[in-house]
Amino acid sequence: QVQLVESGGGSVQAGGSLRLSCAAYGYTYSIYYMGWFRQAPGKEREGVGTIDSDGTTGYADSVKGRFAISQDNAKNTLYLQMNSLKPEDTAMYYCAADARRMTIVQALDVMKYKYWGQGTQVTVSS
């Protein structure tokens, strides 16, 4: 089993920045892919960005050039640096992990992940 704990959410004005963290516990050696997802009120959960164990990243078009994923393997922690935030980025952000190898496109699919954190709220005001 893998447990994921997100932190770093908050409220920020448009154009601002936030960095989310996701600490992984348990059988972390089994993880191959990790990702960030978000869900706004009344909308489906969607992929934001992913990273595999080799450090290869992938992003949704809506966040390319503004968000960056990184990981600290020594700390078993995943990060999401969010810059130039927009009101439409407002959502609950979730960290996810899975042991399976997949393509970058598959890695942005919420159905591909077994382990999920509890989420952290990000609110961007105009």
Side-chain angles (χ1 to χ4, degrees), residues 27-99:
Y27 294 116
T28 57
Y29 62 85
S30 68
I31 296 173
Y32 185 78
Y33 253 107
M34 294 192 76
W36 286 99
F37 296 79
R38 65 186 182 186
Q39 188 167 17
K43 294 187 177 181
E44 294 186 351
R45 193 171 297 188
E46 63 177 4
V48 174
T50 66
I51 187 167
D52 68 15
S53 60
D54 296 324
T56 301
T57 58
Y59 298 94
D61 288 342
S62 59
V63 305
K64 281 181 181 177
R66 299 189 298 123
F67 291 11
I69 288 180
S70 61
Q71 59 188 3
D72 184 332
N73 291 326
K75 296 181 179 179
N76 290 324
T77 301
L78 179 73
Y79 302 99
L80 181 66
Q81 178 66 43
M82 304 185 294
N83 300 323
S84 302
L85 282 161
K86 304 175 181 180
E88 51 262 45
D89 295 318
T90 295
M92 185 72 79
Y93 282 71
Y94 298 90
C95 171
D98 200 272

